[in-house]
Amino acid sequence: MLRPAPKVSAPRTTQERLKATLRHDEEAMSPRMLRQSLKELQAIVDPLVSEVEGGRRAQAMMDWYASATPPHRRDLWLLMSERFVADPQHVKQAQAQFAAAVGTPDEAAAEVLYRRATVSPRRRLLQRFSANPDGVRFLVDMRAEFQPQLKTDKRLLALDVEMEYMFSTWFDVGFLDLQRITWDSPASLVEKLIKYEAVHDIRSWSDVKNRLDSDRRCYGFFHPRLPGEPLIFVEVALMNEIAASITPLLDESAEPADLDKATTAIFYSISNTQTGLKGVSFGDSLIKRVVETLKQEFPRLKTFATLSPIPGLRGWLAKNAPAELVKTWERVDELAEGAPERRTLMGWAARYLGEELHNGKPLDPVARFHLGNGARVERLNWAADPSAKGLKQSHGLMVNYLYDLKRLDKHRALLAQGKIPIAAAIKDLYL
């Protein structure tokens, strides 16, 4: 006879644990230690202490955190998320006053009171940490650390959303500095490119040197509180045509292009570097700033395009394309130029990029980024990325997104209507 599986109880909230006397097996901090940690967090935002004293207390907590175990850190996140909330009674009262004041001369003042009532003490706590010279780095790293747990522990969502909101303010593009990264930049900075490159892995120092050659440009956004740490960077190749393959761009033995003949800037890699800044948008502003910078340095440049991966294509094909075709495409390197299976794959890929939406936005994440910036789907390229990663993502296909500077707003308007901007060459591939 089968015995029923033991019932798994839901994790206790920090409120329940604070009132308890004993801890459960899965809990890191005892109730007594939890109460002490809460007291120390509350002391940081005590309205009766100065900014200097509040900062000193925040530093003490950061010192404790540096040597704390992951389970103990997690309990601290839970305290910050669950115990530093806006007073529900104040919120309810302010909301009622605002509703009663709508349409009267008191509406604006009532709105201000309501907004203030909804601000959580958690925000003040984050501000006290950020005042420390290393505080912003501490908070960004903390958020990165708990990101993997958000899917399984919704109790951390309040802290995550609050941090995303604060970071969107602190890391507004108006506070960021655009810097060119060259082979002559500090070695520690060049090493960051190797570490954070997310599109085409950098294999060696000669590889990164090639990407910083005379016919290349690399730019990153930097924040004064994170010196020497690019938040996002883009790699650009200066050419006389739109690139159809990543292979020659990564060829370390190739001669640099003639800059006097360069008419085209190809954005072939954009990498975010800080997991803790997830949800904070830099990419669209980075591309705009880089385009302006390149136009000043190279007035002959007329075309700005990408050579981009299609990371969601293969998974989408596995779910939507006929099984016999999917099986054939496993041997994509064996398909001759005139093979019907090759034409079919291009057609399915064109449909994926040109029609597939989710919640009104392009299904593919890279397409969502570039099309959201006003680009259009320009051209599909066969066998453009023969690497193992390229084959795994998209059977080796890559796509060019064109940034037509005179039509960016038009393309955004089309996308807002649920219509993906595509070139005629993409539509001609439709099956």
Side-chain angles (χ1 to χ4, degrees), residues 140-310:
V140 171
D141 289 346
M142 176 192 287
R143 185 168 182 246
E145 192 176 355
F146 69 66
Q147 284 297 302
Q149 301 191 29
L150 288 173
K151 289 184 179 180
T152 57
D153 196 340
K154 303 303 181 185
R155 295 175 297 173
L156 295 172
L157 279 176
L159 176 60
D160 181 65
V161 172
E162 192 87 74
M163 296 182 87
E164 181 181 337
Y165 172 80
M166 298 299 288
F167 291 165
S168 296
T169 301
W170 298 342
F171 290 89
D172 182 272
V173 292
F175 301 130
L176 304 183
D177 181 30
L178 180 70
Q179 296 179 20
R180 181 182 169 191
I181 303 170
T182 72
W183 183 245
D184 294 325
S185 296
S188 59
L189 179 53
V190 177
E191 288 174 348
K192 298 288 176 60
L193 300 186
I194 299 174
K195 175 182 178 181
Y196 292 124
E197 167 61 49
V199 184
H200 304 290
D201 292 341
I202 297 177
R203 302 177 298 274
S204 62
W205 281 98
S206 59
D207 184 0
V208 73
K209 186 176 183 181
N210 174 58
R211 302 189 195 202
L212 299 175
D213 210 338
S214 61
D215 60 340
R216 305 297 178 87
R217 293 294 182 270
C218 180
Y219 296 93
F221 266 151
F222 293 78
H223 190 278
R225 297 298 294 275
L226 298 177
E229 190 80 29
L231 307 180
I232 183 174
F233 61 88
V234 59
E235 299 167 57
V236 187
L238 302 175
M239 309 175 65
N240 60 6
E241 61 181 354
I242 295 180
S245 171
I246 194 62
T247 302
L249 298 187
L250 301 183
D251 184 358
E252 299 168 23
S253 63
E255 290 295 323
D258 186 348
L259 291 181
D260 291 332
K261 297 180 180 179
T263 60
T264 305
I266 298 295
F267 299 81
Y268 64 94
S269 179
I270 301 177
S271 300
N272 286 290
T273 69
Q274 306 298 313
T275 304
L277 294 178
K278 180 181 179 181
V280 182
S281 178
F282 305 118
D284 56 340
S285 297
L286 176 66
I287 289 177
K288 292 173 186 175
R289 292 274 298 277
V290 170
V291 167
E292 293 171 359
T293 302
L294 290 173
K295 287 176 67 177
Q296 291 177 3
E297 186 178 0
F298 303 102
R300 293 169 58 94
L301 291 178
K302 302 300 180 185
T303 303
F304 298 89
T306 77
L307 181 62
S308 300
I310 318 174

Side-chain angles (χ1 to χ4, degrees), residues 407-429:
R407 293 181 170 83
L408 298 182
D409 289 340
K410 178 183 177 181
H411 293 161
R412 288 194 194 94
L414 281 173
L415 192 62
Q417 300 169 19
K419 301 175 183 178
I420 296 178
I422 62 172
I426 297 297
K427 193 169 186 179
D428 289 345
L429 290 172

